[in-house]
């Protein structure tokens, strides 16, 4: 089994290995993007390097998008490019912001989501307090402006959102971790041809929500820095709160990413300060 795990930018191959008499799954890297080898850790701003990449999504076309957060951009790699060391991005969206924000700039982008039916890419432009969307996500070319914006007012002043990070898409609804408003919101994105949609806050949170992921059954997993909450029915138009809290401070230490394997329904957690994937 192979899968891409969030922002590691590494293609991982799982094996079963004996540790202290117990069978455990070990993930061994087999493909690398962003460095020339598995021991180098140099940052950069070329089309084959990153500075603090934070999220990856894989498209049905086998292309991938990477949030290159500290370079204020999002990169797209074709299958041949990301499957080979020293692969070069085929498209670069966003650019470092000088002065006011525009439809072509980004500032600290993080979360990504993709609608395969509309071929639309959503980007959490975190430090601009907005969500950008790009039509023709599989082919949009370098430097293209976004096709629309959700969440911020003029000059990217916080309006509906403040520091959005995590994104997840289910049916016609875009779910957002509205991190510095301490809440989870949902947008109906079935039609984006008119005025930007307004948010519906379906849950407030005692901690900062970071990342979102849906499982095979429509359950929404929400990552906080030290625990994960599960919403079994996030489509219900009331604030029911989480169905279940899993993990705890004793298990996670400054976790910053989650992913769910859509084949086995396995939850994977980037347990950052513990230097591991759980």
């Amino acid at each position: 089994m192979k899968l891409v795990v969030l922002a590691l930018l590494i293609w991982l191959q799982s094996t079963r290995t004996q540790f202290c008499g117990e069978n455990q799954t070990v993930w061994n890297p087999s493909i690398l993007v962003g460095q020339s080898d598995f021991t180098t850790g140099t940052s950069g701003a070329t089309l084959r390097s990153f500075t603090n990449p934070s999220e990856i999504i894989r498209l049905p076309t086998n292309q991938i998008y990477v949030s290159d957060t500290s370079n204020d951009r999002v990169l797209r790699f074709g299958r041949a490019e990301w499957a080979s060391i020293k692969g070069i991005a085929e498209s670069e969206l966003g650019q470092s912001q000088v002065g006011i924000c525009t439809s072509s700039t980004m500032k600290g982008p993080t979360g990504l989501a993709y609608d395969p039916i509309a071929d639309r890419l959503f980007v959490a432009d975190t430090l601009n307090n907005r969500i950008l969307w790009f039509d023709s996500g599989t082919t949009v070319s370098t430097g293209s402006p976004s096709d629309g914006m959700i969440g911020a007012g003029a000059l990217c002043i916080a309006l509906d959102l403040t520091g959005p990070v995590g994104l997840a898409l289910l049916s016609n609804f875009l779910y957002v971790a509205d991190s510095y408003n301490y809440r989870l919101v949902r947008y109906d994105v079935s039609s984006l041809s008119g005025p930007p949609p307004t948010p519906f806050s379906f849950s407030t949170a005692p901690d900062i929500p970071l990342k979102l992921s849906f499982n095979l059954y429509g359950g929404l997993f929400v990552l906080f820095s030290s625990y994960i909450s599960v919403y079994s029915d996030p489509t219900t138009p009331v604030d029911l709160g989480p169905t279940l809290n899993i993990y705890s401070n004793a298990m996670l230490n400054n976790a910053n990413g989650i992913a769910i394997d859509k084949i086995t329904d396995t939850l994977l957690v980037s347990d950052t300060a513990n230097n591991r994937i759980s």
Side-chain angles (χ1 to χ4, degrees), residues 25-131:
T25 299
V26 177
W27 298 91
N28 300 310
S30 58
I31 294 175
L32 179 70
V33 181
Q35 301 293 343
S36 59
D37 54 56
F38 286 100
T39 59
T40 304
T42 304
S43 62
T46 68
L47 292 179
R48 58 170 41 139
S49 60
F50 309 101
T51 302
N52 295 324
S54 62
E55 187 144 334
I56 299 172
I57 57 169
R58 182 179 178 185
L59 278 53
T61 54
N62 274 333
Q63 297 163 295
I64 64 170
Y65 272 101
V66 181
S67 288
D68 190 12
T69 302
S70 292
N71 282 327
D72 299 319
R73 65 182 183 175
V74 170
L75 299 177
R76 187 183 72 234
F77 292 83
R79 175 65 176 89
E81 284 75 25
W82 68 257
S84 62
I85 290 180
K86 298 183 179 181
I88 298 176
E90 63 183 15
S91 183
E92 177 186 28
L93 302 176
Q95 54 186 322
S96 295
Q97 189 169 301
V98 179
I100 64 173
C101 63
T102 71
S103 60
S104 299
T105 62
M106 297 180 189
K107 193 172 182 181
T110 52
L112 301 169
Y114 176 72
D115 180 350
I117 296 176
D119 190 20
R120 180 175 290 131
L121 174 72
F122 294 93
V123 180
D125 189 12
T126 303
L127 298 183
N128 279 329
N129 306 302
R130 63 183 181 174
I131 308 299

